Amino acid sequence: MLLHIPGVLDAAQIQTFRDALDGAQWTDGKETVGAQGARVKRNLQLPETSPVRRELGALVLEALARNPLYHAAVLPLRTLPPRFNRYEGGGHYGFHVDGSVMALGTGAQMRSDVSCTLFLCEPDEYDGGELVVSDTYGEHEVKLPAGDLIVYPSSSLHQVRPVTRGARLAAFFWVQSLIRDDRRRRLLLELDTSIQTLTQGGADAAAVLQLTGVYHNLLREWAET
């Protein structure tokens, strides 16, 4: 499921992020991937030990905690602390698939089910830099306004096209969902959205309650903790 979630960060928050990132120290993005990824990756990232990364990452997680669409779509169980990257001067990341199991830094590990990119620059600030996600329906180009989030299955083949003008800044992270299967997550989101629409439209309360029960029983049946 490829889903655009608008307005995760507002304009004031974006400015806070941009000011912090403009003064940050960056490192080669190849340091956080294996040999295969390093062959197709050319960008900059905040170092893993960067205090700016920790501070801004915490702000991203706080914003996500207030976003009902994100929670309904992703159903997060574990989240890798957000990282930050910068593409400029032809920087790109060729087609790749994200790692399946990732270390949380506490000795624990998580499975990557959902990949997330939070855009921190406006589309007209740079040329190129589209996130391209390939699935059974073809290739989908994504280039969103600052503050908007895209979520997609971590199993997807994807790339970031070369940035030929300006700079592309983004936060990115991975989530282990309560629901491993992408098709089931989609069904639950569609059901939850329908319940919310019916409730707001004043539908029969007993019918809405029954549908709500179906949603939670499916979640109970499919959830992994």
Side-chain angles (χ1 to χ4, degrees), residues 56-220:
L56 296 185
L59 293 177
V60 170
L61 296 178
E62 289 175 9
L64 293 172
R66 299 188 295 268
N67 193 293
L69 177 56
Y70 170 78
H71 279 272
V74 176
L75 295 169
L77 175 61
R78 299 181 182 91
T79 302
L80 194 76
R83 296 171 175 170
F84 296 84
N85 58 24
R86 181 184 185 98
Y87 291 84
E88 60 187 346
H92 63 279
Y93 197 169
F95 271 119
H96 63 283
V97 175
D98 293 330
S100 55
V101 179
M102 300 182 177
L104 285 169
T106 59
Q109 294 182 316
M110 56 165 270
R111 183 185 65 241
S112 61
D113 296 323
V114 182
S115 297
C116 306
T117 298
L118 177 61
F119 288 77
L120 300 174
C121 294
E122 298 296 346
D124 61 2
E125 292 185 72
Y126 58 98
D127 292 336
E130 296 87 358
L131 171 66
V132 181
V133 180
S134 179
D135 61 19
T136 55
Y137 300 102
E139 293 186 356
H140 310 275
E141 293 186 4
V142 182
K143 190 172 182 178
L144 300 181
D148 287 13
L149 179 74
I150 191 74
V151 302
Y152 56 97
S154 297
S155 57
S156 301
L157 190 67
H158 57 282
Q159 68 165 327
V160 176
R161 287 186 172 149
V163 172
T164 57
R165 178 187 64 86
R168 174 196 190 269
L169 298 170
F172 63 102
F173 55 97
W174 295 271
V175 181
Q176 179 174 338
S177 177
L178 284 165
I179 307 299
R180 179 197 296 253
D181 186 77
D182 180 63
R183 294 168 299 174
R184 290 177 173 178
R185 285 197 305 275
R186 179 189 293 272
L187 286 172
L188 287 171
L189 175 60
E190 291 174 351
L191 182 54
D192 182 63
T193 301
S194 296
I195 291 169
Q196 300 303 321
T197 300
L198 290 170
T199 300
Q200 295 169 8
D204 179 76
V208 171
L209 179 61
Q210 187 175 32
L211 280 177
T212 302
V214 170
Y215 172 88
H216 284 286
N217 284 331
L218 285 174
L219 183 58
R220 183 177 293 109

Side-chain angles (χ1 to χ4, degrees), residues 21-69:
L21 293 173
D22 283 347
Q25 298 295 316
W26 298 85
T27 190
D28 192 332
K30 292 180 181 179
E31 294 181 3
T32 59
V33 295
Q36 184 175 0
R39 287 196 292 268
V40 296
K41 186 177 185 180
R42 182 186 163 198
N43 70 357
L44 299 174
Q45 288 183 201
L46 291 187
E48 296 295 286
T49 58
S50 168
V52 176
R53 178 203 168 193
R54 290 195 298 270
E55 293 166 9
L56 296 185
L59 293 177
V60 170
L61 296 178
E62 289 175 9
L64 293 172
R66 299 188 295 268
N67 193 293
L69 177 56

